[in-house]
Each structure stands twice: as C-alpha cells, then as structure tokens.
Amino acid sequence: MTEKMIVNPYQVEGEVDYQRLVKEFGLQEITPEILEKIKQITKGLHPMLKRKIFFAHRDLNWVLDEYLKGNKFFLYTGCGPSGPIHLGHALVWYFTKYLQDTFDVELYFQFTDDEKFLYKDKPYEEIQKWVYENMLDVIAIGFDPKKTFFIVDTKHAGLLYPEAIKVAKKLTFSTVKSSFGFTDSNNVGSIFYTSMQAVPSFLPSVLKKKNIPCLIPHAIDQDNHFRITRDILPKLGFYKPASIQCSFLPPLTGAFGKMSSTGEAKGIFMTDSPKEIKDKINKYAFSGGQPTLEEHREKGGNTEIDIPFQYLKYLFEEDDEKLAEIEKDYSSGKMLTGEIKKYLIDKITAFLLAHQERRKDAHKKIDDFLLKV
Ligand code: TRP
C-alpha cells in the first residue's frame, strides 16, 4: 500500500494497482448486474467487458436505464496528438466503435492539439502534423462518418471557447493544482486546459438545446479531468457525464504500467510493418516462460506476467475458448514461449495490415468527419 504509484493524465509511475485506483478515484466497479443489463440490450458482451479490461465506471447504470427508456446517450472520447498512435490508444477506440455500433449512437471525438502544445516540448507545427496523422488512424478504426464528429480544439475554438470559460469560471487554481499535481511554475495554458477537455461532454446538449446523457470511454489516467467535469456540469445545468474506464495495455517490457510512444522499447504503432512487429515482440516482449526448455515443460509459463498472453487477452484473441486453451497449454508447459510469441505476431500482423488498408484512403474522409455547425 505504501508503494509509490502516480496515475494522472500527465504521469503514470510505479506498479499500477487498479483496485486501489477504484477506491482513490471513487469509481464504481463493473458488476455482474451491469454486465447482465448490457447483455440484454446488446445481445452479447464484448470481450473487453467480459475480461474486465474495461473494469470501472461512473453512472453507467443510469445511462443504460435512460437508454432503455428511449433516451439515447452520445459517446465522447479523444486523442492527444503528439506522436504516432499505438495499440494502447487503439484499444479504447476499438471498444468505442463497438459501443457506437451496438448502441447506434453519436460519437464526439476531440483532438486536443492545444493540450499537447502546452504540455509537450514540441512546436505547434509538429503538433498539427500529428493531428492529421492521428485522424487517419481514428478514421481507420471504422467509425460511422454520419454519426462521428471530430473536434479539433484550435480549429473549433470559436465553438469551444465560450463553453470552456463557463467551466473555467467555476474552477479554482487550487483545485487544478491538487488534482494534477501542478506547481506555480506550470504554464498558465496548462492550468486552463482541463476546461477545454470538459466541453465535448456537454457540447451536444448546447448545440441541440436539450440535455443529453454522455458516456465517456477512456483509459483510467484521464479520470482526473472528468472528476472535475462532473463536479462542475450540474452547476451549469447539464448532466454529469457517465464514464467507463479501462486499464492500460501494458508496455512490451513488462506487465505493469502503460504502453507509450517513447522510451527504449517503444510501443507497437499502427503503422508498423510486419517486420517491425515481429522484431519488437521477439526482442522486447516480456516472457512469463521459464528460462530453459526442460524447466518450461516441467513448470509451465506464468500467464499473469507474460506479455504475449496479456496482449492476446486484451485485444488480439477474441475467441474465449481459444484463449482458455492457450492459457491452459501455456501454463502447463505444453505451449512454448516461442510458440505463443509467434501466435501473437501473426494476430497483430493481420490486425494491423487490415487497419493500414483502411488507413490508406482515410485522408479523403477527414472532411466528412469534421464537426460542422
Ligand atoms: N487528453 C487526452 C490525451 O491526452 C485526449 C482526450 C481529450 C480524451 N478528450 C478525451 C481522452 C476524452 C479520453 C476521453 O490523450
């Protein structure tokens, strides 16, 4: 309990204890009752729900009840454009696409170029390049262009700013400071920024002139922003946004923490070639297998810490029976480290080749996706 753990939008450090975060952040766990309710509505359950990759929420029950009464919610998620998209980002968005498809709802997707400019040591022009590149990946996920609306903070500033100042007026520096761990030397833009991330959670209500429930799928590190948002929105006459949180796809080098686009063993990017995928996994993927063949056959591998197994569980083996078989064979020693790695490499390669195919003509669709009012 005393171990150092920091989880906020701008820093993730230490071994992430998700149960502890649920308590500290005041989240609700996703219970069997909620899963049952989702199952009734959608006639099935996404593997990321069954496997508790998405494991916590706020007000999900309420959003589902409203939905059952015929009052649809909209989805809101986003991307901080400062580098290439990796599998950890894509995980949330593929799940968001599932929500959009099964509930047949609108999605507001925010690109926070202001945020990345303010927080990263990168020029504005470079951030703009990433807005463009990242949009291609978001489009390649396969969202419905008729029901998906891209918001770019600096480009939609005229729409966002009047709403952001209403949030900002209710938010003190001391709240922001303690929530994000800021000091007096943070730049003033970063202090204001969370007001911008709050806006899409009520912008559709402003535009359509009626209160509409919002559901935000996001990785757990973004929760700070939305705790603040939830405190303020009722003061402005809007519903608190509901949310559903996932744990981080672990980095290649170990089962705890978060995949990132920097560091020695970089994440796996959406644009990686089959050779890069293979090399990264063979070189870096942390193995739960035993050091020698004899030992492995005798004791078996540890799936809890084995990165290839964890990746299959998170995203790449959707078939529950197949996953259970791999778990059994790998932990009994029947399946070898080289074999599970090879299996994962083939899965990721197929997944990314299909993504890259859709990405090719995505540039033609950007305009269809941009929010126009
Ligand atoms: N701040 C997020 C990031 O750095 C981007 C983002 C904006 C977001 N709005 C969001 C993420 C809503 C999840 C949900 O990646």
Side-chain angles (χ1 to χ4, degrees):
M1 276 310 267
T2 49
E3 214 219 308
K4 187 175 156 222
M5 171 180 79
I6 303 175
V7 177
N8 72 48
Y10 305 109
Q11 208 183 2
V12 175
E13 255 174 52
E15 201 171 292
V16 182
D17 177 343
Y18 292 103
Q19 292 315 311
R20 193 174 136 196
L21 286 181
V22 166
K23 285 203 196 81
E24 283 180 10
F25 289 180
L27 297 165
Q28 244 60 58
E29 273 184 79
I30 295 184
T31 58
E33 291 73 39
I34 291 198
L35 290 182
E36 199 43 50
K37 198 177 277 182
I38 297 176
K39 213 163 154 184
Q40 274 169 18
I41 302 173
T42 66
K43 317 271 176 274
L45 265 191
H46 193 278
M48 288 186 213
L49 285 169
K50 272 191 236 165
R51 298 175 192 170
K52 301 210 179 302
I53 305 300
F54 276 81
F55 67 101
H57 75 99
R58 294 177 194 276
D59 283 344
L60 185 56
N61 244 322
W62 168 71
V63 152
L64 293 172
D65 287 342
E66 286 299 309
Y67 185 89
L68 285 168
K69 287 189 241 162
N71 186 19
K72 275 191 182 181
F73 56 89
F74 68 90
L75 294 162
Y76 160 37
T77 195
C79 162
S82 67
I85 298 307
H86 57 60
L87 295 175
H89 301 116
L91 171 107
V92 181
W93 304 339
Y94 274 99
F95 182 74
T96 304
K97 172 177 157 53
Y98 147 82
L99 292 175
Q100 174 171 65
D101 291 347
T102 43
F103 289 92
D104 187 30
V105 288
E106 291 187 341
L107 163 66
Y108 288 76
F109 199 108
Q110 182 179 37
F111 292 86
T112 57
D113 56 343
D114 53 346
E115 175 189 26
K116 296 297 143 173
F117 174 70
L118 291 164
Y119 282 94
K120 301 265 173 175
D121 187 17
K122 290 190 177 171
Y124 183 77
E125 292 66 30
E126 188 186 335
I127 299 290
Q128 295 311 309
K129 183 193 102 177
W130 289 118
V131 171
Y132 175 79
E133 287 294 321
N134 293 176
M135 277 182 178
L136 303 183
D137 283 303
V138 175
I139 290 170
I141 303 279
F143 294 115
D144 179 350
K146 294 204 174 60
K147 293 203 163 100
T148 305
F149 307 96
F150 286 0
I151 301 168
V152 184
D153 284 358
T154 61
K155 305 298 169 281
H156 289 87
L159 195 61
L160 301 177
Y161 191 65
E163 306 309 322
I165 56 173
K166 293 172 196 165
V167 176
K169 197 172 178 176
K170 305 272 179 216
L171 183 59
T172 64
F173 180 32
S174 71
T175 298
V176 171
K177 229 174 166 175
S178 63
S179 180
F180 297 101
F182 289 170
T183 66
D184 283 355
S185 25
N186 274 88
N187 73 59
V188 295
S190 64
I191 295 161
F192 175 77
Y193 168 72
T194 191
S195 316
M196 293 294 282
Q197 187 155 327
V199 174
S201 66
F202 64 100
L203 187 66
S205 298
V206 173
L207 296 176
K208 296 182 186 176
K209 300 190 172 58
K210 61 170 186 191
N211 241 338
I212 312 170
C214 169
L215 175 64
I216 312 174
H218 66 85
I220 194 157
D221 58 340
Q222 294 295 313
D223 191 62
N224 298 48
H225 288 299
F226 302 122
R227 284 204 294 282
I228 290 177
T229 304
R230 283 171 57 87
D231 281 347
I232 293 177
L233 260 54
K235 298 180 188 163
L236 301 177
F238 300 104
Y239 294 131
K240 291 183 178 195
S243 54
I244 177 163
Q245 286 82 15
C246 65
S247 55
F248 304 120
L249 182 71
L252 281 167
T253 46
F256 307 101
K258 171 186 171 194
M259 183 177 271
S260 108
S261 42
T262 52
E264 128 89 348
K266 293 198 170 72
I268 295 176
F269 300 126
M270 305 312 277
T271 47
D272 278 354
S273 67
K275 182 173 183 323
E276 285 168 312
I277 298 166
K278 183 165 159 237
D279 290 349
K280 282 183 186 177
I281 292 175
N282 281 332
K283 183 161 179 208
Y284 294 114
F286 185 83
S287 173
Q290 305 298 339
T292 66
L293 182 67
E294 291 71 36
E295 233 182 298
H296 189 83
R297 292 280 190 220
E298 190 191 318
K299 297 183 189 152
N302 179 351
T303 53
E304 288 286 306
I305 57 168
D306 191 79
I307 285 293
F309 182 80
Q310 289 297 320
Y311 281 23
L312 291 172
K313 179 176 161 189
Y314 265 80
L315 194 57
F316 296 104
E317 183 52 79
E318 295 217 327
D319 180 340
D320 292 328
E321 277 173 32
K322 185 73 197 164
L323 188 74
E325 186 187 314
I326 293 172
E327 183 162 24
K328 188 166 139 265
D329 290 349
Y330 191 65
S331 33
S332 73
K334 186 173 163 206
M335 188 180 207
L336 301 175
T337 297
E339 290 167 341
I340 197 171
K341 281 196 173 181
K342 168 85 171 59
Y343 190 83
L344 177 70
I345 290 166
D346 290 346
K347 283 278 181 184
I348 299 190
T349 305
F351 181 89
L352 287 187
L353 287 177
H355 180 90
Q356 289 162 13
E357 197 50 42
R358 291 189 298 273
R359 196 182 190 276
K360 269 186 199 153
D361 63 353
H363 64 277
K364 295 183 199 142
K365 300 183 186 161
I366 290 180
D367 193 57
D368 296 340
F369 278 94
L370 286 170
L371 172 67
K372 294 177 194 78
V373 288

